[in-house]
Amino acid sequence: QAPPRAPFPLAARRFACARSGAPHVAMPRAPQATTQACAKGPVAAGPHATVEALPDAEVRVSIQVPFELSSMAEAELDISAELVVLRGPPSSGSQEVRVPLPAGFALDPALAAAKYSRKRQELTLTSPNVAAARTAAEAAADAPTPAPMPVALSAAPAPAPAPVPALVPAPALA
């Protein structure tokens, strides 16, 4: 007859060790967060680009340039709040890369800075995240304002101020 079993938590799994046959209990692990909202790091923005939130409410857009460029002088770059367009030189057949920014990201075209790495064939843009600033401003605007406190007015007159003691002149020193 089998020995009585020890009470185990319902979610635990019992199994026997493969080598010794001794009983073991596997406790369940906490579920892992796999949603994109919890994900940190770059987010895909089209086939050639990624967008990443940086500290201090900045955005980094990295574009893998699919055509040959010896310098950025050969290319044309258009930056708007929600879209980045990179057009190649006429020798590349006027190829273009369009990068629509995902929700929650918006560039400031006036403050955006671009850097091209010929070795990696990568264009990197950094800019303040206007969407994050907009979200913070909207949250502040949507915050409820405290209601004014009602003041009870009474018909009784205000109490008279306390009398001020009279000043006594100091005796003169001889």
Side-chain angles (χ1 to χ4, degrees):
Q1 189 169 8
R5 295 184 178 178
F8 290 106
L10 295 176
R13 284 191 13 230
R14 287 183 232 142
F15 63 96
C17 177
R19 218 181 303 170
S20 66
H24 291 281
V25 176
M27 298 302 290
R29 293 185 177 178
Q32 300 294 321
T34 57
T35 62
Q36 188 170 5
C38 295
K40 294 185 180 185
V43 177
H48 299 286
T50 59
V51 179
E52 182 176 10
L54 299 176
D56 298 330
E58 286 195 336
V59 177
R60 178 187 307 147
V61 180
S62 301
I63 302 172
Q64 295 298 320
V65 181
F67 42 82
E68 268 312 303
L69 282 180
S70 58
S71 73
M72 276 302 293
E74 297 177 354
E76 183 181 330
L77 180 63
D78 292 327
I79 302 173
S80 69
E82 289 87 23
L83 180 68
V84 177
V85 179
L86 175 66
R87 289 182 193 83
S91 62
S92 72
S94 295
Q95 286 183 317
E96 87 175 9
V97 176
R98 298 177 69 81
V99 181
L101 297 180
F105 295 100
L107 301 174
D108 184 349
L111 298 176
K115 183 177 179 182
Y116 178 67
S117 169
R118 186 173 30 163
K119 182 179 179 181
R120 292 179 302 178
Q121 280 194 282
E122 180 180 66
L123 176 66
T124 305
L125 296 167
T126 54
S127 167
N129 189 356
V130 180
R134 228 184 282 145
T135 304
E138 289 170 0
D142 291 342
T145 56
M149 295 294 293
V151 177
L153 298 176
S154 65
V164 177
L167 295 175
V168 178
L173 294 173

